[in-house]
Amino acid sequence: MRIEHKSWRDPLLIGATVPLALIMILFFVVPLIMTGILTFQSSRYYRLAWTWDLTIWRDVFGHSHYWVVMLRTLGMSLACVVLSVLIAYPVAYGLATRLGSLRHHVTILITFAFLTDTVLKTFGWILVLDQNGVLNWGLSHLGFEPGAVNILFTPTATLIGMVYNLAVYPIFTLYLSLARIDRDLQLAAYDAGASRFRTFFEVTLPLSRPGLYAGAALVFVLSLGAFLEPKVMGGGNAPMASELINQSFSTRVNWPLGAALTLVLIVIGSASLALSAALTLRRRGGEQGRLSDVG
Amino acid sequence: MSDRSRSIFIDVLLVGSVALFLAFLYVPIVTLVVFSFTGSRMLTLPIESWSTEWFGALLARPDFFPALKNSTLVATISMIFATVLGTAGAIAWVRFKFRFQQTFRLLTFAPLLFPQLLLGVVMLLWFSVLGQWLGFSTGLATIVIGHIVYVTPFALVIVAVQVYGYDETLEDAARDAGASGWDVFREVTLPLLWPGIFSALTFSFLLSWGNFYVSYSLGGTMRTLPTFVYSGIAVGSSPIYPALATLNFVPALILVIVADVVRRRAACRNVLPEPT
């Protein structure tokens, strides 16, 4: 791979970067700054008033209701991360090492399921989990009593929906990490007398850490904004932060409040991404250090 | 357990988990397709009679065609912008070295790390304030802008993978043979990157087509197919939504398979003429 050094006077570089950068600045960075600014305003008679004070922030931190919903969101997101990673690891490992030529077809099937309409898939889950739905019908044929599984419109259903929509991300990041592991390292561990489990925990798992951290952080951040799953599959009984944000726009028409709640989630999300990046980098630094000690 | 039977056990466990995950992914999808052919109003098993009447009922809905038209328009425009911007960005990501490259990378990758609803809300706030100053309201144009911001990073990553495995000596050869800069781009660079670009086109179209969150936040009174379904199932379920799912999934699956065949054919072509 040859890399060309470019100066900013090069028209090719300007053409390749400036339009995209402008769009991202104008419609992503500036809106973020605007969101920050709006949290210092307030809402009067359903209109935005430029007051420049801390009313909204006092409101957000002063009401226990917001705290309850935020903590619930964090709890659901953490549960979603744990489940997604536990599911994704064996799937990505199987995909990277055991499937041979089938791997390709499986990847396409996963990609297709990932790309299609989320609303329709969520609606599909309603039909599956309903008391008279597909799952209970199947179970009743296996000898369970009718209506054995009754989880629709509970947080369990919300969690199933979140894992369903997000588990694909760690599968891809873990797959990229696992497929790059040099098979010789594992063989060397076997030669040295390590058991399969020891090899996994001391060679494979540490080498797949970047994919693990990246996938976990991605699921966590994206699950903070889950809206469809709690609303449609959870039945709106246990609202998450996204529902509060949605309400502050649609029913209360309070933009500053919506902006403040959004900003809280963005800060939590960014902090967890930074943590995951720091963990990955520190590990890598540590391993390089150890290698150079040996050399 | 002997070493051999243990290794078979692990094989079965890993392959089994892939199979189980595929089943998990396709349970709601297959369910929808099956229910789209039901003859009854109720969406419960067992299905006693089969019919295709719900496809007709879907097409007869007065708000279906406007939503279909909006979705097509939005997805087509977003696809073109996302792929062009993503391809240019991917070349800058991988092949160039320049000042502020890290900033550029962060800037163009960040929307991928954002929950879509928050991305939509943040842009909604901006468009609302801007709309108050300039006197416009949200609609199709703001949906398109939102989709471009959301989809471009995906397109960029897909094309970047293609740029990464790209043999630039072919460009040199064309240049030595006297081709101009534009000719080299059109005759060498573009055909070599085409499989990645085609994947990016497919991906962008489908991501935009199936996008709910950004359209929901930025649509105002305009509806695309996902928001049409959302507002419909909020009121009550009906077999027309499974029918829409079937109409949606079949072309999408074909598109994904075609994109993959194009990519693999090109991969074979690029490998064969190995210089010896």
Side-chain angles (χ1 to χ4, degrees):
Chain A
M1 183 90 250
R2 183 184 57 206
I3 288 172
E4 298 169 38
H5 286 262
K6 294 269 181 199
S7 107
W8 275 106
R9 255 168 279 162
D10 192 317
L12 212 58
L13 180 66
I14 293 176
T17 55
V18 170
L20 179 57
L22 268 185
I23 284 184
M24 289 301 176
I25 290 171
L26 206 55
F27 300 114
F28 180 66
V29 178
V30 173
L32 271 178
I33 297 170
M34 191 41 129
T35 307
I37 292 175
L38 278 177
T39 62
F40 300 110
Q41 319 307 329
S42 46
S43 170
R44 292 209 186 108
Y45 310 111
Y46 300 114
R47 299 276 300 180
L48 178 69
W50 296 86
T51 51
W52 298 98
D53 54 26
L54 290 171
T55 328
I56 287 297
W57 285 112
R58 253 182 242 124
D59 196 29
V60 167
F61 286 106
H63 278 79
S64 61
H65 174 59
Y66 297 131
W67 285 96
V68 171
V69 176
M70 280 294 168
L71 285 178
R72 181 187 295 137
T73 309
L74 288 182
M76 290 294 273
S77 298
L78 284 176
C80 180
V81 169
V82 171
L83 283 174
S84 300
V85 168
L86 283 180
I87 292 174
Y89 207 102
V91 175
Y93 200 54
L95 202 59
T97 57
R98 301 298 143 111
L99 284 181
S101 58
L102 264 181
R103 170 163 47 182
H104 219 86
H105 303 277
V106 174
T107 320
I108 293 180
L109 284 175
I110 295 178
T111 311
F112 166 73
F114 170 72
L115 280 176
T116 47
D117 194 332
T118 322
V119 188
L120 284 173
K121 284 184 294 189
T122 312
F123 182 60
W125 272 112
I126 300 250
L127 303 182
V128 173
L129 295 180
D130 189 78
Q131 250 200 319
N132 302 313
V134 175
L135 185 62
N136 274 319
W137 182 79
L139 285 177
S140 72
H141 281 255
L142 293 174
F144 289 85
E145 49 189 295
V149 179
N150 192 5
I151 55 170
L152 191 60
F153 306 137
T154 67
T156 314
T158 307
L159 205 55
I160 292 177
M162 287 165 68
V163 171
Y164 178 82
N165 283 325
L166 295 173
V168 173
Y169 286 94
I171 287 181
F172 280 126
T173 58
L174 277 167
Y175 174 80
L176 289 176
S177 271
L178 288 166
R180 273 175 49 197
I181 291 179
D182 192 347
R183 179 86 183 119
D184 289 346
L185 290 173
Q186 290 160 339
L187 293 177
Y190 294 147
D191 280 351
S195 69
R196 283 179 171 278
F197 287 99
R198 184 132 185 247
T199 306
F200 176 77
F201 282 108
E202 296 202 2
V203 179
T204 314
L205 188 62
L207 286 173
S208 63
R209 263 199 200 110
L212 195 65
Y213 290 147
L218 213 51
V219 172
F220 182 73
V221 170
L222 296 178
S223 65
L224 287 176
F227 171 70
L228 266 178
E229 299 90 343
K231 183 106 177 165
V232 178
M233 292 174 71
N237 300 324
M240 286 172 57
S242 54
E243 178 61 28
L244 277 187
I245 294 173
N246 185 48
Q247 275 171 10
S248 64
F249 286 102
S250 60
T251 50
R252 302 178 60 178
V253 202
N254 189 337
W255 297 353
L257 179 64
L261 294 170
T262 306
L263 210 59
V264 170
L265 283 187
I266 290 174
V267 168
I268 296 173
S270 311
S272 65
L273 282 176
L275 180 72
S276 133
L279 277 175
T280 312
L281 288 178
R282 211 191 51 190
R283 282 285 168 187
R284 201 179 289 163
E287 258 145 41
Q288 269 163 6
R290 232 178 298 149
L291 281 181
S292 59
D293 286 349
V294 175
Chain B
M1 223 179 341
S2 77
D3 216 37
R4 196 180 150 69
S5 66
R6 189 178 289 162
S7 121
I8 290 173
F9 173 71
I10 294 173
D11 286 353
V12 169
L13 199 75
L14 290 176
V15 175
S17 65
V18 175
L20 275 178
F21 184 71
L22 277 183
F24 176 57
L25 277 186
Y26 278 86
V27 158
I29 294 176
V30 171
T31 303
L32 285 167
V33 173
V34 169
F35 275 121
S36 67
F37 296 103
T38 180
S40 126
R41 259 210 76 80
M42 301 302 294
L43 292 171
T44 49
L45 287 175
I47 293 173
E48 263 129 27
S49 63
W50 301 89
S51 87
T52 52
E53 62 179 297
W54 299 108
F55 292 92
L58 173 69
L59 301 185
R61 278 278 296 259
D63 46 350
F64 171 68
F65 276 103
L68 179 69
K69 204 190 80 196
N70 287 343
S71 272
T72 313
L73 195 68
V74 166
T76 309
I77 300 175
S78 309
M79 168 185 83
I80 293 167
F81 272 92
T83 309
V84 171
L85 292 169
T87 304
I91 293 173
W93 260 62
V94 179
R95 289 207 48 195
F96 297 166
K97 192 118 211 119
F98 52 92
R99 270 181 64 159
F100 307 118
Q101 188 165 28
Q102 283 311 324
T103 318
F104 177 73
R105 285 185 177 168
L106 189 68
L107 189 66
T108 49
F109 195 69
L112 204 72
L113 305 173
F114 250 68
Q116 288 185 51
L117 182 80
L118 301 192
L119 195 65
V121 162
V122 165
M123 280 193 271
L124 172 66
L125 286 169
W126 174 232
F127 286 132
S128 305
V129 171
L130 216 57
Q132 246 181 22
W133 289 339
L134 304 176
F136 68 88
S137 56
T138 51
L140 279 188
T142 47
I143 296 183
V144 168
I145 293 173
H147 282 202
I148 291 171
V149 171
Y150 171 64
V151 174
T152 305
F154 284 94
L156 190 150
V157 170
I158 293 168
V159 181
V161 171
Q162 196 78 28
V163 176
Y164 199 75
Y166 163 90
D167 180 8
E168 63 277 342
T169 52
L170 291 167
E171 279 182 357
D172 297 343
R175 225 170 272 132
D176 289 348
S180 71
W182 171 244
D183 281 339
V184 172
F185 181 75
R186 211 188 44 196
E187 301 284 340
V188 180
T189 316
L190 207 56
L192 282 176
L193 293 183
W194 174 242
I197 294 174
F198 190 76
S199 294
L201 282 170
T202 318
F203 234 80
S204 312
F205 185 86
L206 289 176
L207 273 176
S208 167
W209 179 266
N211 182 285
F212 165 72
Y213 287 101
V214 178
S215 310
Y216 177 70
S217 309
L218 299 176
T221 54
M222 283 298 193
R223 283 207 183 134
T224 58
L225 285 176
T227 50
F228 163 79
V229 175
Y230 176 75
S231 53
I233 59 173
V235 182
S237 66
S238 154
I240 65 167
Y241 303 111
L244 175 59
T246 303
L247 290 181
N248 224 335
F249 293 157
V250 175
L253 186 58
I254 292 172
L255 214 56
V256 171
I257 292 172
V258 168
D260 185 66
V261 170
V262 167
R263 207 173 53 79
R264 263 199 297 175
R265 265 229 212 104
C268 292
R269 237 194 352 253
N270 288 352
V271 169
L272 279 178
E274 191 83 339
T276 44

